Amino acid sequence: MKKTSIKGIFQQTNKLMILVAFLPLLISSIFYSRQIFIYQNTINNIEEANQLSGKVDAIVLEEMWDLVFGQKSVADVQDNNVIEELRADLDHIQTNTNTAKEKNTLAVALRTLDSLETYQNKLIENIANDEPLEKNQYVMVQVDSVIELLSEILQEFVRVEISLASQTNQDLIQSVLLLIAFQLLLILLIIYFISKNRRFVRENLQNPLDRLVELSDELAQGHLGFRAVLPDTPELRTLTSSLNKMADDLTRLLEENALKQYHLAQSEVRVLQAQITPHFIYNSLDAIVSLIEVERYEQATEMTYALSDFFRISLSKGHDWIPLSKELRHVADYLTILKIRYGEMLTYEINQQTTSQDLLVLKMILQPLVENAVYHGTKFVRRVGKITITIQEYEQTIQMSVRDNGIGISHERLMAIQHNLKENTDPDPENGYGLYNVYRRLLLNYGSDVQFEIASIESQGTTISIIVPKKGGAH
């Protein structure tokens, strides 16, 4: 199928409109011009035939009698031959005739005129031979009969022309009726072509433009998987192809960016682990040595087992998703070590309200929050610090919260933290990186379904709540 450009579509439409505008005018002009021309010729023939008939009756016979009685000389008659004038008039009328009946009637008139000319020559011959008057009078009797016959023939021609004029009038009426019928048919054809042209424009312009608008709306709404069908119109096909390619490139770039962000988050958690590990190991080993030195072997053993289990779960053979039970054991090991180190100044409580046994969660999302609660919260109060971890299972989600009774967060600082989380900007170094690291990892792994809320009252404590979709399976 030939692909029509937008310019070609408009050119085709313009041609159709020009044809629609001029075709009726052209056909009407042809019909009317032809009939009017025929009718005008018929009227002219009638007028000339009447004039010729009158000329025959009034002049020819009179001139011949003038010749007989000597009132006109032979030279005068030959110089101004009325019969030749009559013949020239008949020849002129004959050029404007079209039917066989007209031509036959004029042919009879011309032959009659030839007879009249013969009698005229006979008179001239008698005069030249000085024949008696009686002989010329006898010829004049024949001339009178021929003139009467010629006049009747001319009147018959007039009657033929009047009949033709009447017929032409009837033809004209029929032509008008035919023209009206044709124009009605033409109107139907125009309606058909307009409808066809409307469909053509709709299929080649309107529908592709609507699909382009739909594609733009879908892409604007974030539906990057939407694609428009390529139309046949070259310009719109190029534009649609470019938009589809732009959407493909945008999808690819977003996927690459998401992958980069994922790897960045993994790198950040590795960095976090690398930062935690040396200090945590040093402090924990120092605490174990101190416990052994004061012969508190049971606590040293407990702390050693907790430290070992803590790092075993931290590694988890490289898995990012671990069972909820392991995540809770991981944070419990961490709190066990801290409690042995801080003694009676730190207590903790883990409340698990779940029924599913195979729930998976993202690894190391609770420990950084607990560390933040201890080092930025309970550490700065004189009362006994308490960390409460609550796990609640709902139909589609899991809620995990870490609450402390530390110094809390001022309203200004809380607003700054929430702004940094919302805008995904780098935090103030004094606020720590653990909180932001956890939030970024949650977004990358759970997407927009994650809910991350911070509630704090200054001098009373802080609660961080995380709500994520449930994920089944087990490693």
Side-chain angles (χ1 to χ4, degrees):
M1 182 181 294
K2 183 179 179 181
K3 299 175 182 178
T4 307
S5 65
I6 294 177
K7 181 179 179 181
I9 291 174
F10 283 114
Q11 287 179 343
Q12 181 173 336
T13 304
N14 291 337
K15 289 179 181 178
L16 177 62
M17 297 307 295
I18 292 172
L19 180 64
V20 168
F22 283 98
L23 186 59
L25 179 62
L26 178 63
I27 294 174
S28 300
S29 300
I30 293 174
F31 267 109
Y32 285 115
S33 297
R34 179 177 179 275
Q35 296 301 327
I36 290 173
F37 179 76
I38 294 174
Y39 190 78
Q40 187 62 45
N41 281 342
T42 302
I43 297 301
N44 291 337
N45 288 342
I46 291 173
E47 291 179 356
E48 291 183 14
N50 282 327
Q51 292 176 1
L52 190 61
S53 178
K55 190 175 183 179
V56 168
D57 292 338
I59 298 176
V60 175
L61 184 61
E62 180 181 354
E63 287 195 359
M64 289 218 179
W65 277 114
D66 288 344
L67 178 65
V68 170
F69 290 111
Q71 293 180 358
K72 277 191 176 183
S73 64
V74 173
D76 292 336
V77 172
Q78 289 177 341
D79 291 339
N80 298 294
N81 195 339
V82 68
I83 294 177
E84 292 299 328
E85 293 179 3
L86 292 174
R87 181 176 284 107
D89 292 339
L90 287 175
D91 290 337
H92 180 264
I93 293 174
Q94 195 170 28
T95 57
N96 294 325
T97 57
N98 297 305
T99 65
K101 191 171 184 179
E102 289 176 296
K103 294 182 181 299
N104 291 335
T105 304
L106 290 178
V108 172
L110 287 171
R111 287 196 296 273
T112 303
L113 194 62
D114 290 340
S115 299
L116 185 61
E117 185 178 23
T118 301
Y119 287 121
Q120 184 186 51
N121 292 333
K122 182 65 175 175
L123 289 174
I124 292 173
E125 182 181 351
N126 289 341
I127 292 172
N129 295 327
D130 293 325
E131 296 289 343
L133 180 62
E134 291 78 8
K135 194 171 183 178
N136 286 338
Q137 287 178 338
Y138 173 78
V139 174
M140 287 300 297
V141 173
Q142 303 300 322
V143 168
D144 186 60
S145 299
V146 172
I147 289 174
E148 184 177 356
L149 177 62
L150 179 59
S151 180
E152 291 177 359
I153 293 173
L154 291 175
Q155 291 302 315
E156 177 64 21
F157 178 77
V158 169
R159 288 192 291 272
V160 170
E161 290 299 295
I162 291 174
S163 176
L164 288 176
S166 176
Q167 182 63 41
T168 302
N169 185 56
Q170 293 296 323
D171 291 343
L172 185 60
I173 294 174
Q174 291 179 0
S175 299
V176 171
L177 295 176
L178 287 175
L179 183 60
I180 292 173
F182 177 77
Q183 287 179 336
L184 292 176
L185 177 62
L186 189 61
I187 289 173
L188 294 177
L189 289 175
I190 289 172
I191 294 173
Y192 168 75
F193 281 117
I194 289 175
S195 176
K196 184 177 180 181
N197 186 66
R198 185 185 295 112
R199 289 196 302 270
F200 177 76
V201 172
R202 182 172 62 248
E203 291 174 0
N204 289 275
L205 285 181
Q206 186 62 50
N207 290 345
L209 287 175
D210 290 342
R211 287 195 290 268
L212 280 175
V213 172
E214 183 182 8
L215 174 61
S216 300
D217 291 341
E218 292 292 335
L219 294 181
Q221 295 173 13
H223 303 156
L224 300 181
F226 187 86
R227 298 293 182 272
V229 178
L230 296 180
D232 292 331
T233 308
E235 296 92 338
L236 296 180
R237 186 181 185 88
T238 301
L239 181 57
T240 303
S241 177
S242 298
L243 286 177
N244 285 341
K245 184 178 182 301
M246 182 186 72
D248 291 337
D249 293 341
L250 184 58
T251 302
R252 177 178 54 80
L253 290 174
L254 288 176
E255 290 174 352
E256 291 177 356
N257 184 63
L259 185 61
K260 290 178 181 178
Q261 291 295 327
Y262 173 78
H263 289 305
L264 178 60
Q266 296 305 309
S267 300
E268 288 179 350
V269 77
R270 300 292 186 269
V271 171
L272 181 62
Q273 289 175 331
Q275 290 175 343
I276 293 173
T277 300
H279 298 288
F280 192 64
I281 291 177
Y282 297 154
N283 293 335
S284 299
L285 290 179
D286 288 341
I288 292 172
V289 171
S290 298
L291 290 170
I292 293 173
E293 287 178 349
V294 297
E295 298 181 355
R296 294 166 62 180
Y297 300 117
E298 185 177 347
Q299 287 184 323
T301 301
E302 183 184 3
M303 191 172 186
T304 301
Y305 279 120
L307 183 63
S308 174
D309 192 49
F310 176 84
F311 283 112
R312 184 180 298 109
I313 296 173
S314 295
L315 295 175
S316 297
K317 299 180 181 179
H319 294 151
D320 293 322
W321 298 86
I322 61 175
L324 176 61
S325 58
K326 278 192 176 183
E327 178 68 13
L328 293 177
R329 204 172 78 213
H330 181 260
V331 74
D333 289 334
Y334 181 73
L335 285 168
T336 298
I337 295 170
L338 291 183
K339 180 170 176 53
I340 292 174
R341 287 172 54 192
Y342 289 105
E344 298 298 328
M345 293 303 296
L346 179 65
T347 62
Y348 70 89
E349 181 182 356
I350 300 177
N351 298 320
Q352 182 178 1
Q353 302 173 17
T354 61
T355 56
S356 302
Q357 301 299 317
D358 59 349
L359 294 176
L360 294 179
V361 296
L362 191 62
K363 180 178 65 176
M364 287 187 67
I365 56 175
L366 292 177
Q367 183 274 329
L369 301 182
V370 170
E371 180 182 359
N372 192 74
V374 172
Y375 287 101
H376 296 280
T378 61
K379 186 177 180 181
F380 296 97
V381 295
R382 293 185 179 182
R383 60 181 176 269
V384 175
K386 184 175 181 180
I387 305 296
T388 303
I389 300 172
T390 304
I391 309 297
Q392 293 176 294
E393 179 184 358
Y394 298 98
E395 184 177 356
Q396 301 291 336
T397 60
I398 303 172
Q399 181 174 357
M400 297 173 281
S401 62
V402 177
R403 185 173 71 252
D404 67 74
N405 63 344
I407 62 171
I409 306 172
S410 66
H411 178 73
E412 293 76 12
R413 185 178 174 194
L414 180 60
M415 295 298 293
I417 292 173
Q418 290 175 340
H419 174 76
N420 289 336
L421 290 173
K422 182 179 179 181
E423 299 298 328
N424 198 22
T425 56
D426 292 332
D428 189 336
E430 68 177 13
N431 292 330
Y433 290 95
L435 186 68
Y436 298 93
N437 184 275
V438 169
Y439 179 66
R440 289 176 182 175
R441 291 178 61 226
L442 288 171
L443 284 179
L444 287 172
N445 287 276
Y446 288 102
S448 59
D449 294 330
V450 69
Q451 297 182 37
F452 194 89
E453 298 177 354
I454 304 175
S456 182
I457 300 176
E458 195 169 1
S459 301
Q460 294 185 27
T462 302
T463 300
I464 298 177
S465 297
I466 299 172
I467 300 177
V468 296
K470 289 168 62 173
K471 181 178 177 68
H475 286 282

